[in-house]
Amino acid sequence: MDSFFEPRSVAVVGASARPQSLGHVLLKNIIDGGFRGDIFPVNPRADSILGLRAYPSILDVESEVELAVIMIPSSVIIDVVGQCGRKGVKALVVISAGFSEAGNADLEAELLREAEKWGMRVIGPNCAGILNTGNSLFATIESRIRLGRIAFSTQSGALGGAILAWAENEGIGFSKFVSYGNQCDVDESDLLQYLGDDSETEVITLYIEGVKDGRKFFETAKRVAAVKPVIVMKGGMSETGAGAVQSHTGSLAGSGRMYRAVFAQTGLTYVNTIEEMFDMAKALVYQGRAEGGDVAVLTNSGGPAVMVSDELDELGLSVPEPIPGIKERLSFLPPFTSIRNPVDLTAGGSPENYAKVLEALFSQGQYDAGMVICVPPLSLDAAEVAKALVEAKSGIGKPVVTCFMAGQLVEEAVRILEESGIPNFPTPKRAARALSALVRRRR
Amino acid sequence: MDSFFEPRSVAVVGASARPQSLGHVLLKNIIDGGFRGDIFPVNPRADSILGLRAYPSILDVESEVELAVIMIPSSVIIDVVGQCGRKGVKALVVISAGFSEAGNADLEAELLREAEKWGMRVIGPNCAGILNTGNSLFATIESRIRLGRIAFSTQSGALGGAILAWAENEGIGFSKFVSYGNQCDVDESDLLQYLGDDSETEVITLYIEGVKDGRKFFETAKRVAAVKPVIVMKGGMSETGAGAVQSHTGSLAGSGRMYRAVFAQTGLTYVNTIEEMFDMAKALVYQGRAEGGDVAVLTNSGGPAVMVSDELDELGLSVPEPIPGIKERLSFLPPFTSIRNPVDLTAGGSPENYAKVLEALFSQGQYDAGMVICVPPLSLDAAEVAKALVEAKSGIGKPVVTCFMAGQLVEEAVRILEESGIPNFPTPKRAARALSALVRRRR
């Protein structure tokens, strides 16, 4: 699999000089992304593309080619795969469509046979490509994204691309991205295992519609989930959705109940929405696992604290009252403060009090994780609260997430928090769900 | 209630010249908001504030005062209320805190008695104020917002303010906002009835923690929900959350099950998250109700269509196959297109095809509502798709919502859609849930 994600050289077969064409976008992504190995555009009707010499055929390239990314009509694919084989290419990413998803299962089988003949592995066909931010390889037709520690593997290329664009807007970075399309050879389990072994990936996120080999997936999932968090979103959990899957990728979606059981037994975290998947991934990357499910909530506003309490309860986490040792340390607070849990500072929510109360709450080893809510009144500078929290948090060895709410009033505060590794979420419920991902379920 | 929302004159008792103080923010909001009636700052220690003459007492104002907004220490409230009464004020919004929420239930009862003596109605105390965008009255300490057709009534002032700021970022406008705090006099049911009768409000959104008078709320909710959509979010649905409510507003939260039953019986739409509340409200304001639950889905990407199908199924809506008359009209599509439902245009998703297929789907009266998904590949201009859809939609008398996904790539398209009254949602599941709000449940 290293030939896919860590190649020394890449050929772009079907590179095009025509802007807007996918063959152009692909080559441009690889060049502009800053790939440090050799890049060889292959196109019989061009001498050079985007400033690079173009080759009529991959066989005309003088140096070695490790990875070939292919974006040509499916009608000529078999010849081209044969040429790649003779050239000694190790890995193929076939972006071209027109295979089993369009009723041409025979052509897809022939593609696989030809690749196997030469010992080449294949990702695709009918996919959006792969990327590895760690070595600046952007072999994809999707937009480029920032470096991070989340890997994302997706069966749907377009949804994958839309999610990357959405994540970029949310400031989320990725270690690896792979759209595997029809998975004629490399399948979701191979990729899951690879990402499980990848030291640059801390959290794995998956979008799957149907699994190719159930037993293999079950065993891989169990193995990988024991090592790092795996969060999965599954299309086609309902009957209606399963019908849509069939006409989308031709996969059998299987029953939603069966999948839920598989996810639970293997230790995968099943989520229902895109936000939830990346909120959880962000919380895990920034803060790591909690040891248990006892959560301390600190707020300056009752409403969001109520919403968080409801959600934590539904998620099976606890919001227990502070033990006497903590209450004693909180006795400096003004009398109108509620020193139950949530601790509600109300108007007493100064930066100093936020910091002192957070330290007090984690002074006795009672709580496993913390949630800090701040809805700044106009008289409170949210950025100052953020700075105080960042300092207080540094002495606490437990995960803490925040919910600073109020649009533009908290933008600077959120930047300060997230630059210091404290993840912020825009609503109380999203913060609660993200926090729940840090707690390993007792089974 | 008109004296609250349509007053001819407003006194700001406790107006302050000190920036950052709430008494300053409040007065500034009223002035900068463009209130067209008279504004009288009241403060014994200032001659003028923000360019307006200040009065030592409300009794010194020569003209009539209809509404007084009060932001003074609770210790002097009774005197001031008495002065308002003698002045002939009709309505009081008491923003000041320090009443039953801080253990001073007696003082709150006295405040109410004093107001009743003079025939004045009271919103608050311990609230964030009210606003009416229709006549530019911003009698609130929260940030100002844009005009719209959604009313929002909230028990929690801080949460309300955070939601207003969030909604402003999302481009959502409001007709009325009211934070009613301790509701010593005017309660959630009075406000619900008022908003039900308000011609500038098309959809009502509520955040409640505990209801003051159960029977009154039940009857009001039933009456109002028969006239316009009411969407409710309830804090304290779990035991943990109910505990947090008690220490927040001192309300009894009641059991979640009981509230769910009340909402179902009265026809209120219960939601779990802030996003859901305003996604639904936006869909209702932009598109109005659907006649039934048969939904046509049009897409250029399989993955999001699968997610939408799953969600619609879970919400009890149908995604039935097109009848033969429609299929015939779709026969112009290229052979790789799926003309089941969802109709997946894949690479054939040109602006023209989007428009023609949308028209065909609604040509036979089969469907009650539509969802259009677009995940633009780099070769497709999403804004052109949006323009084509807006034109096609104009001939279709059914609600349609969209999910144009891909961050900045669809920003222009989303602007075009929403300016034409077609609401867009950032993820497939949010779009599906918003659409579900248009379907009146068969009971």
Side-chain angles (χ1 to χ4, degrees), chain B residues 224-350:
Chain B
V224 174
V227 179
K228 60 182 77 168
V230 181
I231 308 170
V232 60
M233 188 161 54
K234 163 90 176 62
M237 290 297 268
S238 69
E239 259 184 66
T240 310
V245 162
Q246 204 160 14
S247 59
H248 178 212
T249 47
S251 304
L252 283 176
S255 85
R257 183 177 302 183
M258 190 264 289
Y259 270 102
R260 275 200 188 81
V262 168
F263 298 150
Q265 284 166 32
T266 54
L268 266 52
T269 303
Y270 168 66
V271 294
N272 206 18
T273 68
I274 297 166
E275 292 93 331
E276 208 178 348
M277 184 147 88
F278 290 100
D279 284 349
M280 287 182 169
K282 186 166 110 175
L284 281 160
V285 162
Y286 279 39
Q287 292 283 297
R289 298 274 201 192
E291 282 156 30
D294 287 350
V295 182
V297 180
L298 171 57
T299 187
N300 69 343
S301 170
V306 168
M307 295 180 73
V308 159
S309 302
D310 274 340
E311 192 71 19
L312 290 174
D313 186 88
E314 199 180 307
L315 293 163
L317 276 67
S318 308
V319 189
E321 278 221 35
I323 57 175
I326 294 176
K327 284 200 170 171
E328 217 165 274
R329 290 195 47 166
L330 292 177
S331 57
F332 72 93
L333 286 167
F336 54 78
T337 317
S338 167
I339 58 171
R340 296 159 71 171
N341 185 13
V343 177
D344 188 351
L345 299 170
T346 63
S350 63

Side-chain angles (χ1 to χ4, degrees), chain B residues 82-233:
Chain B
Q83 289 162 12
C84 289
R86 283 201 295 281
K87 177 66 192 164
V89 169
K90 301 280 188 298
L92 304 178
V93 173
V94 183
I95 293 178
S96 317
F99 296 88
S100 63
E101 90 287 355
N104 295 328
D106 288 350
L107 184 61
E108 190 166 311
E110 205 183 333
L111 156 63
L112 178 59
R113 271 197 309 275
E114 186 66 26
E116 280 176 340
K117 199 168 92 184
W118 301 96
M120 297 185 291
R121 299 298 309 265
V122 183
I123 289 179
N126 184 31
C127 75
I130 65 174
L131 65 80
N132 177 1
T133 49
N135 72 347
S136 303
L137 172 67
F138 291 89
T140 170
I141 52 175
E142 302 300 341
S143 43
R144 294 197 307 279
I145 45 165
R146 73 188 73 185
L147 180 68
R149 287 167 282 167
I150 301 169
F152 177 35
S153 169
T154 174
Q155 189 162 2
S156 167
L159 182 69
I163 288 177
L164 289 188
W166 173 87
E168 177 69 18
N169 275 4
E170 298 256 314
I172 294 166
F174 292 86
S175 55
K176 307 279 187 297
F177 164 79
V178 50
S179 152
Y180 54 83
N182 296 4
Q183 47 183 335
C184 77
D185 173 22
V186 173
D187 64 18
E188 68 277 307
S189 303
D190 299 326
L191 292 165
L192 180 55
Q193 184 63 58
Y194 173 76
L195 297 171
D197 294 336
D198 176 32
S199 62
E200 288 166 355
T201 295
E202 287 183 16
V203 177
I204 300 169
T205 58
L206 307 178
Y207 173 73
I208 60 177
E209 293 190 346
V211 156
K212 202 168 138 194
D213 178 340
R215 171 164 293 277
K216 184 177 171 189
F217 181 75
F218 187 92
E219 281 163 10
T220 311
K222 207 164 170 180
R223 214 160 41 228
V224 174
V227 179
K228 60 182 77 168
V230 181
I231 308 170
V232 60
M233 188 161 54

Side-chain angles (χ1 to χ4, degrees), chain A residues 236-238 240 272 310 313 429, chain B residues 236-238 240 272 310 313:
Chain A
M237 291 296 269
S238 70
T240 310
N272 206 18
D310 274 340
D313 186 88
K429 302 240 172 182
Chain B
M237 290 297 268
S238 69
T240 310
N272 206 18
D310 274 340
D313 186 88

Side-chain angles (χ1 to χ4, degrees), chain A residues 20 22 25 102 141-143 156 158-159 161-163 165-166 169 207 209 233-248 260 272-275 300-307 309-311 313-314 317 319 336 338 340 342 344 375 377-380 405-409 411 426-430, chain B residues 20 22 25 102 141-143 156 158-159 161-163 165-166 169 207 209 233-248 260 272-275 300-307 309-311 313-314 317 319 336 338 340 342 344 375 377-380 405-409 411 426-430:
Chain A
Q20 294 284 324
L22 292 179
V25 168
I141 52 176
E142 301 301 340
S143 43
S156 168
L159 182 69
I163 288 177
W166 173 87
N169 275 4
Y207 174 73
E209 292 188 347
M233 188 159 58
K234 162 95 177 57
M237 291 296 269
S238 70
E239 259 184 65
T240 310
V245 162
Q246 204 159 16
S247 59
H248 178 211
R260 276 202 186 82
N272 206 18
T273 68
I274 297 166
E275 291 93 334
N300 68 343
S301 170
V306 168
M307 297 181 73
S309 302
D310 274 340
E311 192 72 17
D313 186 88
E314 198 179 309
L317 277 67
V319 189
F336 54 79
S338 167
R340 296 159 72 168
D344 188 350
V375 185
L378 290 161
S379 53
L380 181 67
M405 285 184 82
Q408 299 178 332
L409 285 183
E411 264 175 20
T427 68
K429 302 240 172 182
R430 280 179 66 177
Chain B
Q20 296 282 327
L22 292 179
V25 168
I141 52 175
E142 302 300 341
S143 43
S156 167
L159 182 69
I163 288 177
W166 173 87
N169 275 4
Y207 173 73
E209 293 190 346
M233 188 161 54
K234 163 90 176 62
M237 290 297 268
S238 69
E239 259 184 66
T240 310
V245 162
Q246 204 160 14
S247 59
H248 178 212
R260 275 200 188 81
N272 206 18
T273 68
I274 297 166
E275 292 93 331
N300 69 343
S301 170
V306 168
M307 295 180 73
S309 302
D310 274 340
E311 192 71 19
D313 186 88
E314 199 180 307
L317 276 67
V319 189
F336 54 78
S338 167
R340 296 159 71 171
D344 188 351
V375 185
L378 290 162
S379 53
L380 180 67
M405 282 184 84
Q408 298 178 332
L409 285 182
E411 264 175 20
T427 69
K429 302 238 172 183
R430 280 179 66 176

Side-chain angles (χ1 to χ4, degrees), chain A residues 84-316:
Chain A
C84 288
R86 285 203 293 284
K87 177 64 192 165
V89 169
K90 302 281 186 298
L92 303 178
V93 174
V94 183
I95 293 177
S96 316
F99 297 87
S100 63
E101 90 286 356
N104 294 329
D106 289 351
L107 184 62
E108 189 166 311
E110 207 182 332
L111 158 63
L112 178 59
R113 273 198 307 276
E114 186 65 26
E116 280 177 339
K117 199 167 91 183
W118 301 96
M120 295 185 291
R121 300 296 310 265
V122 183
I123 288 179
N126 183 33
C127 75
I130 64 174
L131 66 81
N132 177 1
T133 48
N135 72 347
S136 302
L137 172 68
F138 291 88
T140 170
I141 52 176
E142 301 301 340
S143 43
R144 295 198 304 281
I145 45 164
R146 73 188 74 185
L147 179 68
R149 288 167 282 168
I150 301 169
F152 177 34
S153 169
T154 172
Q155 188 162 2
S156 168
L159 182 69
I163 288 177
L164 290 188
W166 173 87
E168 177 69 17
N169 275 4
E170 298 257 314
I172 294 166
F174 292 88
S175 55
K176 309 277 189 295
F177 164 79
V178 50
S179 151
Y180 55 84
N182 295 4
Q183 47 182 337
C184 76
D185 173 21
V186 173
D187 64 17
E188 68 277 307
S189 303
D190 299 327
L191 292 165
L192 180 55
Q193 184 63 59
Y194 172 76
L195 297 172
D197 294 336
D198 177 32
S199 62
E200 288 167 355
T201 295
E202 287 183 17
V203 178
I204 300 169
T205 57
L206 307 177
Y207 174 73
I208 61 177
E209 292 188 347
V211 155
K212 202 169 141 193
D213 179 340
R215 172 164 293 277
K216 184 177 170 189
F217 181 75
F218 187 92
E219 280 162 10
T220 310
K222 207 164 170 178
R223 214 160 42 229
V224 174
V227 178
K228 61 181 77 168
V230 181
I231 307 170
V232 60
M233 188 159 58
K234 162 95 177 57
M237 291 296 269
S238 70
E239 259 184 65
T240 310
V245 162
Q246 204 159 16
S247 59
H248 178 211
T249 48
S251 305
L252 284 176
S255 84
R257 185 179 302 187
M258 190 263 290
Y259 270 102
R260 276 202 186 82
V262 168
F263 298 149
Q265 283 166 33
T266 54
L268 266 52
T269 303
Y270 168 66
V271 293
N272 206 18
T273 68
I274 297 166
E275 291 93 334
E276 207 178 347
M277 184 147 88
F278 291 101
D279 284 349
M280 287 183 170
K282 187 166 110 176
L284 282 160
V285 162
Y286 279 38
Q287 292 284 297
R289 299 275 201 191
E291 282 155 29
D294 287 349
V295 181
V297 180
L298 171 57
T299 186
N300 68 343
S301 170
V306 168
M307 297 181 73
V308 159
S309 302
D310 274 340
E311 192 72 17
L312 291 174
D313 186 88
E314 198 179 309
L315 294 163

